[in-house]
Amino acid sequence: MSMRDLIDNAAELGSDSDDEEFGEETGEQRPRKTNGHIDDSSEEDEDDDEEAERAVRDGFIVEDEEDEEEREQRRRERKKRKRERQEEAEAGLDEEDLDLIGEANPEFAKRVQVEPKLKRLKRGHKEDRDDRQPRGPGDLFDSDEEDEARGYGEEPARFREDEFADFIEEDFEEEGRGPTEDDAEVSRMVRGGLNMIKDSAGLDEDALQDFKEAFGDGDEYDWALAMQEQEEEGEDGGPLSKAIELRDVFEPSQLVEKMLTEEDNQIRITDVPERYQVSRDPYKDLTMTEEQFKEEALWIANSMSSRNGLASYLLEPFQKSVAKVLEFMITDELEVPFIFQHRKDYLIHAAKVAVDGTDPDDPEYTVDAHKLLDQSDLWTIFDLDLKFRAFLEKRNSLERTYAKLQDASDLKDPVFEEALPAATTMEELQDVQDYLHFEHSARISDLTLTNGNTNGVAHRRPGASKMIFDKIRRSNVYRLVRAYGISADGFATNALKGGRREYTEDPPERPDQMAESVDILDPPEYSSGPQCLRAAKAMFAEEIAMSPKMRKFMRSTYYPNSVFECFRTEKGLRKIDEQHPYYEFKYLRNQQLLDFAQRPGIWLRMLRAEEEGLVEIRVHLQNHDSIKKQLYSDLESDNFSDVADAWNKERREALDVALAKLDRIMIKNLKETLKAECENEIARNCRKNLTSKLDQAPYKPKGMVVGTVPRVLALTNGAGTYGRDLIHWAWVEEDGRVLESGKLQDINIADPEARSEKAKQDGADLKKLVELINRRRPDVVGVSGFSTETRKLYKQLQKIIEAKNLRSGEYEDEDGNETTDLLDVVVINDEVARLYQTSERAAVDHPTLTTLTRYCVALAKYLQDPLKEYASLGRDIVSITFDPNQAYLSPERVVKALETAIVDIVNLCGVNINDAVGDSSVANLLPYICGLGPRKAQQMLKVINLNGGSVMSRAELVGDIEAGKHAAVGPRVWNNCASFLWIEFDPAEQESEYLDNTRVHPEDYDLGRKMAADALELDEEDIQAETQENGVGATVRKLIKDDAQEKVNDLILEEYAEQLEKKFNQKKRAILETIRAELQIPYEELRHNFEVRLPEEEVFSMFTGETYDSICADMTVPMSIKRVNDDSIEGKLDCGIDAVVNSMEIMEQLSVSAKQLYHAHQTVQAKILHIDHRNLHADMTMIDFKLQRPFKRDNNRLASEWDAKQEEKDKEDMQEKNDVSGRTQRVIKHPNFHPFNSAQAEEYLGSRARGDVVIRPSSKGLDHLAVTWKVADGVYQHIDVLELDKENEYSIGKTLKISGRWSYTDLDELIVNHVKAMAKKVDEMTGHEKFQTTPRSETANPKRSVYAFCINPKYPGYFFLCFKAGQHAKLQNWPVKIVPGAFELQKIPYQDMKSLCNGFKTIFSNMQRQKRV
């Protein structure tokens, strides 16, 4: 059986009985059963007949042909059986319909899940197998606990297929017992159709209509069934129809998403690593010669050597190392992990250095080793190989074009023939292509017209300018061009100083005189001298601009000498204020390439700002005038005469035109090149940061070896307040099962010195927590959350563990004594858990758990293995920020960089292939294994299941015909992946190979066995005897059995390596070290220890949502007062940081108690003096003169790099400018104030979060302000604020009134207590289960009695409460108004959504009662 035979291209749409069945454990084919009976022989004949017909259709020969009468007889029998099945099925009830009845009627019994009809499409491997240990008597009542004891991706036990169902059915038949009455009832319902649903489920006509609209009536795929019937039977005895394929049933987008296209299947069966196939697909038709291969090696080495900064004596070894890596990648098709693990000797340069010591015991030499390439360099070579292939393909295309031109017109172009081999970059190739299409565009057009599709001719549609230049080239005017006395190529040679100087010759006549001559004039296009001069000048300038050498000179001049400056536009003047992220380059000047190389993100932001029309980036040469002067001298003649002066003037003017065009080309190329380099740098940084997170072993329990998976208790209070809101927890075993979960609230420890009686007693849930920890004995307690309150939970857990003496499991210390330690409490990085908690995967894995409990599960599993958690995210991993500038890269670019990091670490750790078959979390790692990918991993699991569901040896993966094992991968892919898929060694199994449990590649098994034999000091006869008795792996088995692994440390591996290199020309020194290590500890955990203490900045951002830059000292921010003491004020910032204002910072001279000035729940402006990032605490000041001092971010710029004068001038202009209406522009000192109108305010808030505010001038006059805030996407509320008690017409009123109902003393109080309070209510509304995002007309189902909320986009700040009073009642809606701290319905305020819903029901019930009265 070939690999193609294992891939399903046809969609099987028949009934379950038409599919072959395989044993759950053995994978062997079982006879099919129909109602408990074995299928009769006629059914088997039918299959044989179908196979014969398919073989004929596929071009094979069927030797045993049947005559027409026999075939007609079989066709009639098939029709009869099919008609009987259809008649039986027409009255049948779909199993999914039974599920629907179960949903509508909870008392209805759940059906047993059976194999889906599209079995071969949906099941890639046996995920349903239950790998848990057999249950004992003590486990009989643990069903509820077992429901939660599942890892990611496992189905609930009640939905799993009963593998013994058929067995039990046969027992009934043998014993003469029929099915139970319940089964009979279900069977009757299956045959009852939709009418039976209606009768048995008690559904009325409207509900049945709902059911049909949601799930259809079962006829959706009748057309496909008919097509398959036509295929099986033929039409009127004619030829058989084409088989139904997947593309006939599914949408192309679905096939692409599920990787079921023909291209995907081709990747599966092609014996080439999947990542190589996908990445090299655009260049699959490219064939490289030996010379091109050498050229590529040198090209890549030169590209990397300057970046790596190698010493000169290492350049030659470095080039050889790069060439060898390319040979591995291209010729041997080995992937990066394989090269890094099994060809590492070629990545190291080792030189023997003689020792001059006088001591005879000193060694003769020492080895001086230098690492030439690391794993990141290998990925760089892989990327550069793709770039060179693109380069080579483009160059080949140009060569073909030129060859065809030569064949067609006997063309000879020395400039092209010299420039093409000299081109080393894509930019230089583009220069050559531009030159070719400029010089020979007419010939290329003729060639295209003659040959139709040019088959490889690089052709572009000529523009109008090219046609004009072709006319000039064919006209007499071109003689005037040649009269310039030097060719464009000759001038460029002079500029490059790369050869012998070409001198410019002056014609005998002045340019204006020559242009008027009969030899030049060419009417009607060029009928006058000035016309001819202009055309000739334009032509000569274009030739200079198109010269490949001239472009090379300009590029070499521009790159090191370019200067970048950023200028704001009129739009940017208003939009980019000091709080805007683009402000850091609004007045940026005098930047060079090196400045952006050190800060790549700023260049990408500048480009984004330029796209948005906010800034203009200008680039110029640092010494432009001197370069131009030098070019003049290279172009002008050395003669002294009026004629020479006149021609030199024409030459300079032509050069000016050419330089203007070259400037535009160079600036565009420079921007694109710099953008690509900055993107590469950011991608490398993303890869580096993810690698550091993946390179963590599981949290190590005390006394255990690194790699031991811990038992974890994870807790969180989410975004809630500690002590007031619930604490969610989950207990996760080391095998990933969630055995327990729950909620706690009051876990405070008794404080005997407390004033209140409640505080003197332990919290109500403390005993539960202590009992849980003592019962479960976790190895670690993990905690995380969404706010600063989580730190309080973290500290409280530490206190509880210390006070209650809660300890981890016992272990032996260094002296061999049993000991225990206090439990560790660890703050866990929650970036994966935040994505998991609301994902569809979480809902499938743990349908009964709450969102925060799922969050706890993910936290625990992160402690157990971060690698599995990141790998399980798939493409969702781009949602995590690994670099602040990551958003400026395309998601595909980020995924590509992150994937390489996962591939590296997965192959470092390896994958237990048998675990991957039964555990989806391990199977998620399989696509990252060397040589595999998502398609080949899927295919591998499918074949392993087909082979019986387990793998006994690595060799089994390439198939074993004698043992009936199908090949899971081809030999080349197997060579890549074999050493990274390990199989646990079982000493009791004779066929079990110890080396299959190691990082040793099968190609080196003989070396491992030789080392084992030498360590045991076995001679040839002993080895032969052991091998004959116990197989080829006998020596290694004996080493393990005798527990003599440490003897391999006595081997002198240097001599081994020298012999291998001399005899076989193989470098194996590093490989021998790997074998020695693996013989002692197979697949030892090589990752770093788990990072128990997260970086301070990471914890700060996780709990506050801020960064060190977004909130820092000297910023003025709102502070909500929590408590006022006589000598201090305690408060909290919006981000949750606790704040304190000491007595000396309340006022300059505090003459009265602070309690007389401030009160709790008041919001005030305060300036940050210092932030304690570790303890989430800030010291503040409220002194007026300190508050008035504006915050200015230090941009770390030199005076020459920042245009301070322009900055100051713009600020003055903004203050003095009048708006369009002519009235004075009002300016208010507040960070949220902007001189916007309503449209500008909405545009400004468009990309910001809900609740963000703009304070702006009001059109109602100087005693009004307008406040615009974002209610939702596209919905903005404009609030009119009346100012009272104003000192003058430009100052802010001391009293701010809104709608005559609410009064505030300043803008900050208004923002916090009015706008933010309403925004919180909007959040509460949109987060409620009754809220829907659909429009009002679609919110309530017109066939059901229901109510729901939806937003009112016409009146911002209002919501619709849509409801139906009954089945036939009219759909109604009531307005719900958002006010500070409440919802208003029928002018009645409600504090929260629960009371609002209850209030609605009460109001409606009263109205109904009044109607009845």
Side-chain angles (χ1 to χ4, degrees), residues 675-694:
K675 178 184 179 183
E677 286 300 318
C678 290
E679 288 180 342
N680 290 339
E681 185 61 31
I682 292 172
R684 282 192 289 267
N685 201 35
C686 289
R687 167 186 156 80
K688 178 182 176 182
N689 291 336
L690 176 59
T691 299
S692 66
K693 295 181 177 182
L694 297 176

Side-chain angles (χ1 to χ4, degrees), residues 1334-1399:
T1334 54
R1336 175 178 53 172
S1337 58
E1338 303 174 14
T1339 295
N1341 187 326
K1343 293 184 174 63
R1344 294 197 182 102
S1345 178
V1346 70
Y1347 73 94
F1349 299 93
C1350 67
I1351 200 164
N1352 185 342
K1354 188 175 181 181
Y1355 297 100
Y1358 282 83
F1359 287 78
F1360 288 120
L1361 197 170
C1362 306
F1363 65 94
K1364 278 190 63 178
Q1367 181 178 354
H1368 303 291
K1370 183 180 178 181
L1371 180 64
Q1372 302 180 58
N1373 62 82
W1374 289 353
V1376 177
K1377 183 180 180 181
I1378 304 296
V1379 297
F1383 305 98
E1384 280 192 359
L1385 177 66
Q1386 303 287 347
K1387 297 184 179 181
I1388 302 173
Y1390 298 95
Q1391 298 301 314
D1392 51 39
M1393 286 298 298
K1394 183 178 181 180
S1395 58
L1396 174 64
C1397 295
N1398 291 336

Side-chain angles (χ1 to χ4, degrees), residues 68 70 116 119 294 397 934 982 1092 1097 1149 1203 1234 1241 1316:
E68 187 64 29
E70 290 177 347
K119 175 171 58 180
K294 293 179 180 178
S397 177
W982 55 276
V1092 176
E1097 185 173 4
Q1149 294 181 349
D1203 195 343
H1234 299 277
K1316 296 295 185 183

